[in-house]
Amino acid sequence: GDRLHRLRTARRLTQVQIANELGVSEQSISAWEQDKARPKAVRINALAVLLARISHRSRCIGALNLR
């Protein structure tokens, strides 16, 4: 839960944005972050892809700004 929260906030994403991308409710994201529930495997995979994509995009934009 804490790891998800740290990754989400580091990428400046809201729970609503994550929820919309994954097709779940904002309450689900909140429950995952508070360790009150666990996402299904398919959601974990989608979440990993989403966070990796956002991270990669941020690094690319950062590299362009350094030039």
Side-chain angles (χ1 to χ4, degrees), residues 7 11 22 42-54:
L7 290 169
R11 287 159 177 79
L22 298 180
V42 67
R43 298 285 186 229
I44 293 172
N45 290 335
L47 185 57
V49 169
L50 171 65
L51 293 173
R53 188 178 75 222
I54 298 294

Side-chain angles (χ1 to χ4, degrees), residues 17-66:
Q17 290 171 311
I18 297 281
N20 288 340
E21 286 287 327
L22 298 180
V24 299
S25 69
E26 178 183 354
Q27 291 79 9
S28 291
I29 305 301
S30 178
W32 298 347
E33 288 185 356
Q34 295 175 33
D35 288 323
K36 292 182 179 179
R38 299 205 49 149
K40 294 179 181 176
V42 67
R43 298 285 186 229
I44 293 172
N45 290 335
L47 185 57
V49 169
L50 171 65
L51 293 173
R53 188 178 75 222
I54 298 294
S55 179
H56 176 73
R57 186 174 68 203
S58 296
R59 282 195 306 271
C60 290
I61 290 170
L64 290 174
N65 290 336
L66 293 175

